[in-house]
Amino acid sequence: MTALEPAGLFTRADFEKLPEFPGETRYRYELLDGAIIVSPSPGLAHQQAVLELAVLLREAAPSGLMVAVSPLDTYLPTGDVLEPDVLVFDPAIIVDDKLQGGVPLLAVEVLSPSSRRRDVGDKLTAYRDAGVPSYWVVDPIDPRLRAWSLVDGAYVEIADVSGDEEWTAAAPYAVTFRPSDLTAGH
């Protein structure tokens, strides 16, 4: 058995032993429920939505909060290590240049063909179980945003808007946009 072949589920320590592949940018590695998840690099529509949403969130962010984009490992207190496509966080959770001293205020996943089921299933559960207050999922192909807010330990869906429907988020702070604002042709 090697460091990459644990006897059972992978742990955070196993995850951190993964070899680095110089110049490798084609894959994303995450640790979710004890499994190493390897995903292909995203396409242009995905990256455009990430960029547009990050700019919108950054412009609206109050001082004292940061907006970042993937790849950035986010170490959750549950043991999962995920890479939200966009996240908003208090810089106080940065420890050793990693997000590991708490949870982000908002995690956003932008759907890709390879991630669609995981983003609205396992990752929603992982972010909820870790106590992430707000979780959004964006579809860049058929412009749509679904948003959840953590209430008494459970996610409650607070928005499901499509196309040119405007939505104003209340948390982690007020920001107004339309899902179509996040597409390349907006």
Side-chain angles (χ1 to χ4, degrees), residues 21-154:
F21 302 100
E24 178 60 67
T25 58
R26 294 182 39 94
Y27 299 101
R28 169 187 293 189
Y29 297 88
E30 298 176 294
L31 176 63
L32 180 61
D33 290 332
I36 302 287
I37 307 297
V38 181
S39 304
S41 62
L44 182 60
H46 177 283
Q47 291 302 84
Q48 187 67 40
V50 167
L51 175 63
E52 296 297 333
L53 183 57
V55 168
L56 284 167
L57 287 167
R58 186 170 177 215
E59 288 175 352
S63 66
L65 295 182
M66 295 181 72
V67 176
V69 298
S70 183
L72 179 62
D73 289 341
T74 302
Y75 291 76
L76 299 175
T78 56
D80 292 326
V81 183
L82 300 178
E83 288 188 13
D85 291 307
V86 182
L87 59 157
V88 175
F89 58 94
D90 182 325
I93 71 169
I94 300 171
V95 177
D96 297 330
D97 203 35
K98 296 178 183 180
L99 299 185
Q100 58 185 353
V103 297
L105 301 171
L106 168 65
V108 181
E109 296 289 353
V110 175
L111 298 177
S112 292
S114 66
S115 73
R116 185 171 297 273
R117 188 176 313 171
R118 191 175 317 113
D119 289 343
V120 293
D122 295 337
K123 285 189 178 181
L124 181 140
T125 301
Y127 291 125
R128 179 203 65 205
D129 292 351
V132 175
S134 297
Y135 179 56
W136 301 353
V137 173
V138 172
D139 185 337
I141 304 300
D142 296 315
R144 180 180 179 195
L145 169 106
R146 293 178 68 193
W148 292 266
S149 182
L150 193 63
V151 178
D152 296 327

Side-chain angles (χ1 to χ4, degrees), residues 160-177:
D160 186 349
V161 294
S162 300
D164 290 330
E165 291 178 79
E166 191 172 84
W167 179 64
T168 300
Y173 45 82
V175 61
T176 301
F177 63 97

